Amino acid sequence: HIGNGSLGDNNMNTNSAGNKITSLGDTNTIMDDLATVEQKMKVAMNVYVERSYKVFFFDGDDDTYEKMEHDLLEYMEKNLMMIEQAVERINDENGLILEQISNVEQEVVDLPEHEKRLDQL
């Protein structure tokens, strides 16, 4: 679609396995999906620069240039929202892990007291 001024291509939101990335899913694939999104954002930016240079400077087509600029911005914002959601999800999971660690640490602290009670029984 880039020839028509649009930067979105059907493969821009798929991961390396070819699966569509609509949100950055489980933690096992988040980092792979983030890397894929980052790479595709770089490609989109490079395509934009290449095509916009031709459209704007050689052809003088302001309307197509503005459409390409709008499409790039929309594409980048959509991907940034997915990245922000992934960061939130990772932060939530990290919070749960920290809570579990704290619980285990407390069990270790309480262990001598529990052993003492057991010996008294």
Side-chain angles (χ1 to χ4, degrees):
H1 302 242
I2 295 171
N4 299 334
S6 174
L7 291 172
D9 104 19
N10 294 335
N11 297 320
M12 293 303 275
N13 289 320
T14 57
N15 62 18
S16 57
N19 300 321
K20 185 167 181 157
I21 303 171
T22 54
S23 67
L24 298 172
D26 65 43
T27 22
N28 295 331
T29 61
I30 287 177
M31 294 312 289
D32 290 338
D33 288 349
L34 283 174
T36 300
V37 169
E38 177 186 20
Q39 182 60 34
K40 291 186 177 193
M41 288 175 73
K42 287 178 183 178
V43 168
M45 187 63 176
N46 288 337
V47 168
Y48 166 77
V49 169
E50 178 183 323
R51 300 282 167 98
S52 66
Y53 186 79
K54 179 192 177 300
V55 167
F56 186 70
F57 291 108
F58 290 133
D59 298 342
D61 187 348
D62 291 342
D63 292 337
T64 301
Y65 176 77
E66 286 178 19
K67 168 112 174 73
M68 289 174 62
E69 192 174 63
H70 172 41
D71 288 350
L72 176 67
L73 181 62
E74 191 174 271
Y75 176 77
M76 294 294 185
E77 286 175 346
K78 179 178 157 187
N79 284 296
L80 288 173
M81 284 182 5
M82 285 193 319
I83 292 168
E84 287 172 354
Q85 289 171 354
V87 168
E88 275 184 43
R89 185 179 209 150
I90 290 169
N91 284 338
D92 290 347
E93 289 180 12
N94 285 346
L96 291 173
I97 291 169
L98 288 173
E99 186 177 325
Q100 290 172 344
I101 290 171
S102 177
N103 291 341
V104 169
E105 287 174 342
Q106 188 59 47
E107 288 176 14
V108 169
V109 167
D110 294 342
L111 185 61
E113 184 179 315
H114 292 299
E115 287 177 337
K116 188 177 180 181
R117 284 188 200 160
L118 249 171
D119 287 343
Q120 290 175 352
L121 294 176

